Amino acid sequence: MLQLLRRPVDHDELKRAIKDILVQELDLRGQKADEIGDDSPLFGAGLGLDSLDALQLALAIEERFGVRLPEGEAARPVFASVAALALEIERLRQLFACSEVSAHGRCVLPD
């Protein structure tokens, strides 16, 4: 995980990592990461996530990739799909480099 924070991440690698987070963090029973489509909706008819899932997913992504995702209405398009999340993570990582990495390999975000 530390490697993901310190080096640029390939777009496809980033999407795979997001799918792994979805399956592991949200305990999507019977769902495999490689079965989740890049552009499939995460909510509603797609994976069927709810607002609590969105919060859990946001926290996991923020911790893993050292970014702060938007909240409220601004978050809707970001959480539309794996592809949308990947684009936002890439955009944020370009804007704000991780200032420090903790002993546990986590990004320490500036206040």
Side-chain angles (χ1 to χ4, degrees):
M1 177 171 15
L2 183 58
Q3 292 176 345
L4 284 177
L5 295 173
R6 291 207 172 167
R7 67 175 170 75
V9 179
D10 172 74
H11 188 70
D12 290 332
E13 181 182 350
L14 179 56
K15 289 188 289 188
R16 279 191 300 277
I18 293 167
K19 291 175 186 182
D20 287 340
I21 290 171
L22 278 164
V23 171
Q24 294 168 6
E25 293 292 326
L26 303 181
D27 196 25
L28 299 178
R29 304 227 185 265
Q31 185 78 43
K32 295 181 182 173
D34 60 355
E35 294 173 342
I36 300 171
D38 294 346
D39 296 310
S40 297
L42 299 181
F43 297 89
L47 286 179
L49 303 185
D50 60 25
S51 59
L52 291 177
D53 293 325
L55 177 59
Q56 189 173 353
L57 178 59
L59 292 173
I61 286 175
E62 289 176 352
E63 184 177 296
R64 173 92 180 256
F65 297 108
V67 297
R68 286 221 172 107
L69 296 172
E71 298 176 6
E73 285 299 314
R76 284 185 180 271
V78 171
F79 284 87
S81 66
V82 168
L85 275 167
L87 288 173
E88 181 68 3
I89 292 166
E90 288 172 335
R91 185 186 76 78
L92 291 170
R93 285 175 56 117
Q94 288 175 358
L95 288 175
F96 307 101
C98 184
S99 63
E100 182 182 341
V101 177
S102 74
H104 301 292
R106 308 275 194 238
C107 185
V108 177
L109 297 173
D111 291 325

